[in-house]
Amino acid sequence: MDHDKLVTVMRRLALEAGAKIMEIYESDSFEVKVKSDASPVTEADEAADALISAGLREAFPGTILITEEQAATHEKRAETFLIVDPLDGTKEFVNRRGDFTVNIAYVENGAPIRGVVYAPARGRMFYTLADGSAVEEAGPFDPDAPGQTSPIRVSDPDNGALMVVASKSHRDQATDDYIGKYAVKDMKSAGSSLKFCLVATGEADLYPRVGRTMEWDTAAGHAVLAGAGGRVVRFDDHQPLVYGKEGFANPFFIAYAPKVELKPA
């Protein structure tokens, strides 16, 4: 894989998809359908998916592509592939809450090593560079010319006063029970893959997820967090979260800055 080309293409497609999503988001109304798993899908998901998948297939025709909105791709098995969630946080989008993201990642040998997370309504974009390090780019965002970027790095946490981020739409008692094992200074909630990015920038120390996610929900944020020095492990045994699993479903997991002293499940 040509990582310079990959970063350039992923960044451009994320921005172009984000512009298409915002066009629909800011319209007077948009259609919301329900998928077979009862989750919502909008015309923004579908338009962004068409744009991103066409761009990736043109740029990297020899690389397997997995995308949330194309069920046929979910039958593929591979350890190295591109994976896309064109609009993560559809509930946030539908409720016009802004915490939704465009996610594009590259998984190699089961590990997400490059990715971009773009939150168009929040004006924040995070991605890995060709060397794997993670940055946040400041707007205004030009698809053809990267703007000013700043390296991002996980926190050096105080285990007696942790900053925890949890899901905005999927918070439950099991999550609260686990968080209760830690000495928490403050809690924040965020939607979509932004939670990984808040750990990556040091705005949070710990993000536990006790709930269903799919690999396309997490791969890009996982790549950004890894590029910032963070880790993502299984909730049950604290082994690294791997990708390319059958059906692309994740177990529960914990994303964190490495100096957080993890508690058992």
Side-chain angles (χ1 to χ4, degrees), residues 71-92:
T73 68
H74 306 171
E75 304 303 317
K76 297 178 181 177
R77 296 300 305 277
E79 290 188 339
T80 297
F81 52 93
L82 291 157
I83 187 164
V84 174
D85 188 346
L87 203 172
D88 184 31
T90 302
K91 290 178 182 175
E92 303 294 319

Side-chain angles (χ1 to χ4, degrees), residues 165-239:
V165 63
S167 175
K168 190 172 280 187
S169 299
H170 302 279
R171 184 84 172 271
D172 60 14
Q173 189 60 49
T175 304
D176 287 342
D177 289 346
Y178 183 70
I179 291 169
K181 297 181 178 187
Y182 293 87
V184 177
K185 180 175 93 174
D186 201 7
M187 287 277 305
K188 56 178 72 176
S189 64
S192 70
S193 56
L194 278 172
K195 295 181 285 293
F196 288 97
C197 299
L198 294 178
V199 180
T201 60
E203 293 168 70
D205 307 311
L206 176 70
Y207 159 39
R209 181 57 184 259
V210 186
R212 175 181 167 83
T213 60
M214 304 300 286
E215 292 184 15
W216 46 78
D217 297 316
T218 61
H222 186 159
V224 168
L225 177 54
R231 294 179 187 159
V232 185
V233 296
R234 294 174 58 102
F235 186 78
D236 54 2
D237 61 9
H238 297 174
Q239 292 300 301

Side-chain angles (χ1 to χ4, degrees), residues 108-133:
E108 188 172 86
N109 298 323
I113 61 167
R114 300 291 182 274
V116 58
V117 175
Y118 176 41
R122 294 279 180 254
R124 298 192 76 175
M125 183 165 64
F126 312 86
Y127 54 92
T128 52
L129 299 177
D131 65 1
S133 63

